[in-house]
Amino acid sequence: ITRSTVRIATVLPEGGSPAFRRFSRLIAEGVEVAAATYLGEATTVEVVSRDDRGDPATAARMVRELEGGEALGAIGFLEDGALDAAAQGRLRMLPLVSPTSRTANGEGVYTLSGADPQAAANIARYVARERYERVAIVHSQAPESVEEADAFQAVLQNLGVPVVGRFSYPMGATFFREQVQEAEASLRRAEIRALRLGPNDTLRADMLEKVALFLPLPPEDVELVAPQVTFYGLDTLAVDIVGTSGWADAQTLETVDPRHTTGVVATAPEAGGSESPGYRRFEEAYESHYQRSLVSSVPALGYDAALLLLEAAREGARTPTQLRFELERIQNLEGATGTFSILGRRVVRSTRLVRIEHGALIPIG
C-alpha cells in the first residue's frame, strides 16, 4: 500500500493560567485524535506543535516559520488577538483554523465559534411565522453579536415585523438593567398605557399582544444576562425570549438555572450533542487512542478544527493554496460538535430551532 503524508500544525499556548493551559492541552488532544484516525491507514498525518506563549506577536512569528515548511494549515489561535495577528502576519496565506475565536478576518482564516447570521435569520423567520406583533433586540457591541442582530433585523424588516427598539451593551459588561428595561418599555409601555393599567393593577397576560425580545449572545454572556432578564420581570409581562445558539450551548444549560432559560426559543447545532453520531464517533476514537475515558467536551473542538483541514486534504490538496480551495468546497461535514459547511469563507454549523424546557432541547417543527 502506498502511504501518503499530510502535515498540519498547532499553534497553542503552553503557558498562562492553569485553567488556560489545561484548555489548550485538551484542544491539542482533539487535534491528535483527528490526526491519528480520520484519514485512515493509507495516510500518515504529522502534527507540528508550536507554543505561542499566549502572545499574538509570537503567534504571528510561528505562522511565518510554518509557511517555510511543509504544513498545509495550522490550528489554534484560541483568542481573537492571536488569530488576527497570525492572519495579518502571513506571507503565503497559510490556512488558519481557530476552535474558539469569535472573529476571523482574512482569506483562508476560519473559526468554529464566529457569528452565525443564518441562525439569526432562521429565528427571524420563526418570529414572523408565529405572528409576533413587534420585537426588540438587546445585544453586545462585540462584532459577532452585532452581525447576528443586523441579520435578524434585516429579515424581519423584509417580512414586515417591526423592530421597535435595539439596545447594545459594551463588551465585558456585567449589569444590563438599562438595556433590559428600555427593551421592556419599547415593547409594552404604549400598550399598557392604552389599557389604562396603573402600577398596582394586576396584569393579565392574555390581554397583551404577542411580543419578543431577541438576544443574540455568546454562552458567556447568556450566563450573565439570562438571570437579569428574569429579575427585571419580562416573563411577568409575557415577553417571549428568542436567541441564537449561545442559549442552547451545553455549558449554558449546565451552569444557568433552568428557570432563566425555560421557554426560550433558540437555535442549536443540527447534529450536535453528546448523543449525535458524530460525537459518538469522536468519543470512540478518543478512548481508543488514549486508552482512557473522555471526561471533557473541549477536545471535540480541536477535533472538529482538525477535521476541516484533513477533509480538504482528503480531496487531494497538497499545498496551502490547494487546501484553501478545497476548504471552500466543504459541505455538510459531520463533526463532533455539529455539521459544518464553509459558505462565503465562513464556517457555519447546520442549526435547528429548539425550545428550551428545564435544560432539555425540544425540537420545533
Side-chain angles (χ1 to χ4, degrees):
I1 299 176
T2 302
R3 298 181 64 88
S4 60
T5 299
V6 169
R7 290 181 179 84
I8 60 176
T10 57
V11 181
L12 293 164
E14 296 179 9
S17 70
F20 196 49
R21 288 201 305 272
R22 173 172 168 72
F23 187 88
S24 179
R25 284 198 302 270
L26 292 172
I27 293 291
E29 286 183 0
V31 174
E32 183 178 328
V33 172
T37 62
Y38 187 66
L39 293 184
E41 296 181 357
T43 303
T44 299
V45 179
E46 295 181 359
V47 180
V48 180
S49 300
R50 294 287 185 268
D51 175 15
D52 68 8
R53 303 169 190 169
D55 175 53
T58 302
R61 178 169 59 81
M62 294 295 179
V63 166
R64 286 194 295 272
E65 291 176 1
L66 289 167
E67 288 187 310
E70 297 180 351
L72 295 180
I75 300 155
F77 321 102
L78 300 182
E79 298 180 299
D80 294 357
L83 185 61
D84 286 342
Q88 294 174 16
R90 294 173 301 167
L91 301 175
R92 301 177 186 175
M93 297 298 149
L94 184 77
L96 310 177
V97 182
S98 171
T100 54
S101 175
R102 296 295 184 192
T103 58
N105 301 307
E107 182 180 351
V109 184
Y110 310 94
T111 178
L112 305 187
S113 301
D116 191 346
Q118 289 189 336
N122 288 340
I123 287 289
R125 285 187 281 270
Y126 165 83
V127 165
R129 186 170 69 245
E130 294 298 308
R131 301 185 182 279
Y132 281 85
E133 298 286 341
R134 54 191 174 275
V135 180
I137 303 171
V138 171
H139 63 87
S140 165
Q141 292 172 7
E144 64 276 8
S145 188
V146 172
E147 186 174 357
E148 290 180 354
D150 288 346
F152 176 85
Q153 185 168 359
V155 171
L156 279 192
Q157 287 176 338
N158 288 335
L159 296 175
V161 180
V163 174
V164 295
R166 179 166 167 171
F167 312 97
S168 66
Y169 59 85
M171 295 170 62
T174 56
F175 295 100
F176 312 95
R177 174 180 176 177
E178 178 182 346
Q179 292 81 7
V180 172
Q181 290 189 330
E182 286 181 351
E184 176 185 301
S186 70
L187 290 167
R188 290 298 191 205
R189 181 190 295 149
E191 185 182 8
I192 290 173
R193 186 182 298 124
L195 292 170
R196 298 181 179 178
L197 294 171
N200 297 318
D201 290 330
T202 300
L203 195 61
R204 289 178 52 197
D206 58 5
M207 297 175 61
L208 300 176
E209 295 173 340
K210 195 172 182 179
V211 300
L213 173 62
F214 179 54
L215 294 161
L217 311 178
E220 59 269 23
D221 282 13
V222 173
E223 293 180 29
L224 297 171
V225 175
Q228 295 186 45
V229 169
T230 303
F231 179 81
Y232 292 117
L234 270 70
D235 54 341
T236 64
L237 289 174
V239 176
D240 292 339
I241 305 300
V242 295
T244 43
S245 298
W247 287 86
D249 182 82
Q251 182 178 350
T252 299
L253 299 177
E254 289 175 7
T255 57
V256 178
D257 190 315
R259 65 195 175 97
H260 303 313
T261 58
T262 290
V264 173
V265 171
T267 52
E270 200 167 61
S274 60
E275 298 304 314
S276 69
Y279 192 90
R280 288 199 298 269
R281 280 196 298 272
F282 159 68
E283 185 175 30
E284 291 171 5
Y286 180 97
E287 294 182 349
S288 174
H289 181 73
Y290 283 110
Q291 293 296 298
R292 64 173 184 261
S293 297
L294 176 67
V295 296
S296 169
S297 61
V298 172
L301 293 170
Y303 178 84
D304 283 352
L307 248 52
L308 291 173
L309 297 185
L310 297 177
E311 178 65 18
R314 184 206 291 278
E315 298 303 317
R318 291 299 179 263
T319 67
T321 299
Q322 292 172 352
L323 194 81
R324 291 199 309 273
F325 176 78
E326 293 297 343
L327 279 164
E328 302 291 340
R329 291 157 53 90
I330 287 177
Q331 296 288 313
N332 300 319
L333 173 64
E334 188 175 31
T337 64
T339 299
F340 298 93
S341 300
I342 295 185
L343 303 174
R345 297 181 177 178
R346 181 200 303 273
V347 179
V348 297
R349 282 183 176 90
S350 299
T351 59
R352 56 189 172 131
L353 288 175
V354 297
R355 183 183 304 277
I356 304 172
E357 296 291 346
H358 306 289
L361 304 180
I362 311 300
I364 294 175

